[in-house]
Amino acid sequence: MSKKVYFFSTCIGTAVCANTCINAIKLLQKEGIEVVFKKDQTCCGQPSYNSGYYEETKQVALYNMELFAEDIPIVLPSGSCTGMLRVDYGELFAGSEYEEKARRFSQRIYELSEFLHKELQVDYEDKGEPVSVTWHSNCHALRVAKCVDSAKALISSLKNVNLIELDREEECCGFGGSFSVKEPEISHAMVSLKIADIKSRNVEYLISADSGCLLNISGAIKKQGVDIKYMHLYDFLAARIGL
């Protein structure tokens, strides 16, 4: 396994979750990994791709494939963007002159939890107090990137953390990128069902590895006056092991 990786911070990571990106990088550095951060990185292209702007998305994808050109792993703190780079790029360029380039690129993509769990096989010493948490799986991580098992395995490995699973874990929280803007009433109904499920678990924290979902759920939690804390997976892991 390479001891050097690219870090793809994602749009939301750069815009509103900088501390989460820093903690994600610290988790890699703790394992002796050299992290390369390309200052000219941009969006993965998922918003335009999901809206049907395929030719515009191809330009974004080609830019990313050139920017992250060195043959080393590309690690992301997001299942959504992981799914886009690893799966959707291949579909985007299927049958074109860039198909093979996209295929080789996709083989270097890792969501951070699976890189820590499967490639680095981390063994964390939990330094935190006993706590009960629940977990929200974002749609793209669950169905496209398929990296949720690694995230939950990392949480379950912490000796003082009791992971209580949701009844409706696999249901969307209503974020869906532009969906929450285009269909606010439906989005509100969906996030309210998600919060009701979270409340029924009687936990102290909601953990997720998707910043978009956390923004959506946490905003609704505040508006509804629900007494549940929320935390990104990589902030949670960093805190538990004392980074």
Side-chain angles (χ1 to χ4, degrees):
M1 170 51 59
S2 172
K3 301 297 283 185
K4 178 180 178 182
V5 304
Y6 287 120
F7 185 79
F8 192 111
S9 62
T10 80
C11 295
I12 293 180
T14 301
V16 295
C17 297
N19 286 339
T20 298
C21 289
I22 290 171
N23 281 326
I25 291 170
K26 286 181 177 179
L27 289 168
L28 289 166
Q29 291 174 331
K30 179 182 181 296
E31 306 306 319
I33 301 297
E34 177 186 351
V35 179
V36 178
F37 187 97
K38 303 293 284 188
K39 66 178 182 179
D40 295 327
Q41 62 180 278
T42 185
C43 181
C44 69
Q46 185 178 167
S48 58
Y49 180 71
N50 289 345
S51 298
Y53 293 95
Y54 301 131
E55 293 306 314
E56 291 84 352
T57 306
K58 287 178 182 179
Q59 297 306 308
V60 176
L62 289 171
Y63 174 83
N64 285 329
M65 287 190 282
E66 287 298 321
L67 185 66
F68 299 96
E70 187 176 348
D71 189 19
I72 57 176
I74 304 167
V75 179
L76 301 86
S78 164
S80 291
C81 301
T82 296
M84 181 68 195
L85 296 179
R86 189 160 67 198
V87 178
D88 296 334
Y89 275 21
E91 295 181 1
L92 190 64
F93 289 110
S96 76
E97 61 182 305
Y98 299 108
E99 182 176 10
E100 179 60 20
K101 185 173 185 176
R103 185 191 67 80
R104 292 196 305 269
F105 181 80
S106 70
Q107 292 176 340
R108 296 192 285 125
I109 305 301
Y110 294 87
E111 203 276 333
L112 178 55
S113 67
E114 61 187 358
F115 193 77
L116 294 171
H117 176 231
K118 295 181 178 179
E119 301 299 323
L120 299 180
Q121 299 181 7
V122 296
D123 183 16
Y124 290 142
E125 177 187 359
D126 187 1
K127 300 179 181 179
E129 295 296 320
V131 65
S132 291
V133 307
T134 194
W135 163 263
H136 166 70
S137 292
N138 98 293
C139 297
H140 232 59
L142 181 69
R143 298 178 177 87
V144 182
K146 299 181 179 178
C147 56
V148 168
D149 287 348
S150 289
K152 293 170 72 174
L154 290 174
I155 297 172
S156 297
S157 72
L158 300 170
K159 67 178 182 179
N160 293 326
V161 176
N162 179 27
L163 175 61
I164 301 174
E165 298 189 355
L166 295 172
D167 284 339
R168 309 171 75 150
E169 178 191 324
E170 297 187 0
E171 292 186 15
C172 179
C173 73
F175 177 61
S178 59
F179 171 80
S180 59
V181 178
K182 294 177 179 178
E183 302 289 349
E185 293 85 2
I186 299 175
S187 176
H188 173 72
M190 294 170 73
V191 76
S192 294
L193 289 173
K194 179 65 67 171
I195 291 173
D197 193 10
I198 295 167
K199 287 171 62 179
S200 74
R201 301 295 89 187
N202 296 315
V203 296
E204 295 176 58
Y205 281 93
L206 165 69
I207 308 298
S208 180
D210 186 88
S211 298
C213 294
L214 274 179
L215 286 173
N216 187 49
I217 297 172
S218 66
I221 282 176
K222 290 176 182 176
K223 288 181 179 179
Q224 295 181 21
V226 177
D227 186 22
I228 295 175
K229 301 172 186 176
Y230 41 85
M231 212 167 184
H232 196 287
L233 174 62
Y234 302 121
D235 296 325
F236 184 73
L237 291 177
R240 298 302 299 188
I241 65 176
L243 288 184

